[in-house]
Amino acid sequence: MTDTKPDLTPNERKVLDALLALGAATAAKVGEHAGLAYPTTTPKLRKLETLGLAERFRSDASQTLWRALAIASPMRRMICGPSMKACTRLPGRGG
């Protein structure tokens, strides 16, 4: 069987970890938490969005916020593994 798990760079993992820790946050706040500059963070958030691991949305004040997705998409299962143990801190996953 071939490994189809997408590769996340260390910085992409930092951004995902920041989203998991923060919940909903601006790209600037995610970058600050991850220890990355805003111009570095935004493309990482977009890649996570493309992979089905994050989504952007508008707050009531029309501010763009990001959050990790709680749904178990097929792409997330490839990243986290069948047991989802690598993603136990996701909202809705009991962690």
Side-chain angles (χ1 to χ4, degrees), residues 35-56:
L36 301 171
Y38 175 82
T40 302
T41 303
T42 305
K44 308 305 181 223
L45 286 166
R46 288 189 192 121
K47 180 174 179 186
L48 294 173
E49 181 180 39
T50 300
L51 292 173
L53 297 171
E55 70 176 348
R56 74 180 112 180

Side-chain angles (χ1 to χ4, degrees), residues 21-94:
L22 295 169
T26 64
K29 190 69 172 174
V30 172
E32 180 183 318
H33 189 86
L36 301 171
Y38 175 82
T40 302
T41 303
T42 305
K44 308 305 181 223
L45 286 166
R46 288 189 192 121
K47 180 174 179 186
L48 294 173
E49 181 180 39
T50 300
L51 292 173
L53 297 171
E55 70 176 348
R56 74 180 112 180
F57 64 99
R58 292 267 183 197
S59 70
D60 292 339
S62 294
Q63 187 176 31
T64 301
L65 299 175
W66 292 85
R67 64 182 161 215
L69 289 175
I71 60 169
S73 69
M75 185 63 69
R76 174 168 291 152
R77 287 194 184 280
M78 283 193 285
I79 291 170
C80 301
S83 69
M84 302 289 281
K85 284 184 182 175
C87 296
T88 55
R89 294 185 304 169
L90 289 174
R93 296 282 310 152

